[in-house]
Amino acid sequence: RPVPDLAALVVIDFEWTADKGRKMLPCCEIIQFPAVIVRFDGRHAPSTVLPDHFDTFVRPRFNPALTAFSKELCGISQDQVDVAPDLSEVLPQFLRWLEGLGLVTPDGEKDETSGRWCFATWSDADIGGTLVAQLEAYDMRLPACFSDWVDLKLLFRRHYKHGPSGGLKRCVEYLGLKFEGHAHNGLVDAQNTARLAAHMAQRS
């Protein structure tokens, strides 16, 4: 199967602080935290991207002034992050959103009474790289529900062996879909990744 046998995927695509040719120290920090749900069960079968989503800008601590590179790439302004909440506020908000959907318990554990689900990302950089490193730098605990995730980029390469090895936009278009919105906006990328996952599931 090109997509795992699950009831749902929670697709996330963070945007984070960056600069051209310079490493962000002590770590990259998330500046946009979006999530989109794809369901594969019941009336949503074979796959449906739900209209409800989570999305917020996040204020970085270590490098609060966005670089020109970040602003141009992501289309995020300094004013948007200046008034945004800190990750210590955003993460509990996100968990409450997931709890409202019946996906996590109040203590951040996965709730799979309505079916198995998993996070999904386009590469391991979002959770395995950026989120883990930032939480460690902030002395914050990684919620238990982030214990595993699906790398859709890897699944795409394994299933479509002769498909593009490039970025998300090229892969979406390879499937005959139109990439909708401005690339490198986190919510736009998450929505297009969710559409790609839904399309792959329909052909499994």
Side-chain angles (χ1 to χ4, degrees):
R1 288 174 59 90
V3 174
D5 188 14
L6 300 167
L9 287 176
V10 178
V11 180
I12 58 176
D13 194 297
F14 302 138
E15 300 301 328
W16 53 78
T17 54
D19 200 5
K20 194 171 185 178
R22 180 173 72 91
K23 188 175 181 180
M24 304 304 293
L25 297 174
C27 65
C28 296
E29 296 170 275
I30 295 166
I31 55 175
Q32 188 181 8
F33 193 127
V36 177
I37 308 290
V38 187
R39 294 215 67 108
F40 307 104
D41 56 338
R43 63 187 176 88
H44 300 296
S47 63
T48 303
V49 179
L50 302 188
D52 188 28
H53 63 263
F54 181 90
D55 186 33
T56 181
F57 295 114
V58 188
R59 186 177 68 253
R61 296 182 192 176
F62 299 130
N63 293 281
L66 297 183
T67 63
F69 176 79
S70 272
K71 288 186 281 190
E72 183 178 351
L73 180 69
C74 304
I76 298 174
S77 72
Q78 187 65 50
D79 288 343
Q80 286 172 315
V81 297
D82 283 346
V83 299
D86 185 86
L87 185 64
S88 61
E89 300 172 62
V90 169
L91 204 51
Q93 290 173 5
F94 179 60
L95 293 176
R96 286 194 296 272
W97 180 73
L98 291 176
E99 186 184 353
L101 295 170
L103 297 175
V104 302
T105 64
D107 60 359
E109 298 272 353
K110 276 189 179 183
D111 183 344
E112 298 187 314
T113 52
S114 297
R116 292 177 59 240
W117 70 274
C118 198
F119 288 110
T121 61
W122 189 254
S123 88
D124 283 338
D126 296 83
I127 298 175
T130 306
L131 180 62
V132 168
Q134 186 174 353
L135 290 179
E136 184 177 340
Y138 282 18
D139 196 24
M140 290 173 60
R141 182 180 65 87
L142 181 71
C145 58
F146 283 99
S147 59
D148 57 354
W149 61 91
V150 175
D151 180 351
L152 286 170
K153 187 175 186 178
L154 182 61
L155 288 183
F156 183 95
R157 286 177 175 173
R158 286 178 176 172
H159 187 70
Y160 299 101
K161 295 180 174 59
H162 303 294
S165 58
L168 174 62
K169 187 172 185 289
R170 288 184 62 201
C171 293
V172 167
E173 291 170 346
Y174 176 80
L175 297 183
L177 304 173
K178 181 182 178 182
F179 189 93
E180 298 177 353
H182 174 74
H184 299 297
N185 172 286
L187 179 59
V188 166
D189 286 352
Q191 289 170 330
N192 280 285
T193 303
R195 291 172 57 236
L196 179 144
H199 183 91
M200 289 170 65
Q202 289 170 11
R203 277 141 184 81
S204 61

